[in-house]
Amino acid sequence: HTLSKGRLFGAQLLAYLENDLWIANARHANAMAKNLSEGFAKIKGFKLPWKTEANEVFAIMPQRVSDALSEAKIFAAPWYKESISLPHDEQIKEDESFLRFVTSYATKPEEIETVLKTARAA
């Protein structure tokens, strides 16, 4: 029975590859991450330990901003404060949060602006 189901997976993969849908999705996700990263860079108290090169943004921010994002139901993954991969001159203070934001093909520009507006307000 599983072999007969292979055509369903194949159809999904074919649709993903046709007309470069996969690259359009990736470009959109990366553009949304770039917009988020550029917005964060303009907010006082934010640090971006790494350049945003794909669809993930790592940000060090005041804890009050992290709390405000959480209260607004904006999800970001807490990242390791003791990350050995941080640049040697980068330290995360007790009153700061280190978060990872991930964008996707479905991320809307309005959602990025909501995140930035909430962060600026905090």
Side-chain angles (χ1 to χ4, degrees):
H1 293 309
T2 58
L3 186 57
S4 66
K5 304 294 186 231
R7 67 183 173 83
L8 299 175
F9 296 121
Q12 292 173 2
L13 186 57
L14 186 60
Y16 188 62
L17 296 174
E18 284 181 339
N19 301 317
D20 290 333
L21 177 61
W22 69 276
I23 195 73
N25 286 347
R27 285 183 177 137
H28 176 78
N30 292 351
M32 294 296 99
K34 182 180 179 196
N35 291 347
L36 183 62
S37 181
E38 288 173 352
F40 281 164
K42 295 175 184 174
I43 300 174
K44 184 179 179 183
F46 273 66
K47 297 181 277 184
L48 301 169
W50 301 293
K51 181 180 174 187
T52 300
E53 296 179 336
N55 69 320
E56 294 183 329
V57 178
F58 293 86
I60 300 169
M61 66 188 67
Q63 184 64 48
R64 70 180 185 284
V65 177
S66 176
D67 293 343
L69 292 172
S70 182
E71 287 173 20
K73 305 287 189 245
I74 297 169
F75 178 75
W79 212 243
Y80 306 101
K81 285 193 173 191
E82 296 81 26
S83 180
I84 60 172
S85 62
L86 277 173
H88 294 294
D89 61 340
E90 195 66 68
Q91 299 292 322
I92 301 168
K93 300 173 186 158
E94 283 296 317
D95 61 342
E96 293 179 323
S97 284
F98 187 21
L99 301 177
R100 178 181 68 129
F101 295 81
V102 181
T103 58
S104 79
Y105 71 93
T107 302
K108 298 178 178 99
E110 312 81 73
E111 293 170 321
I112 298 298
E113 189 51 43
T114 297
V115 173
L116 294 174
K117 182 179 176 181
T118 303
R120 285 190 295 265

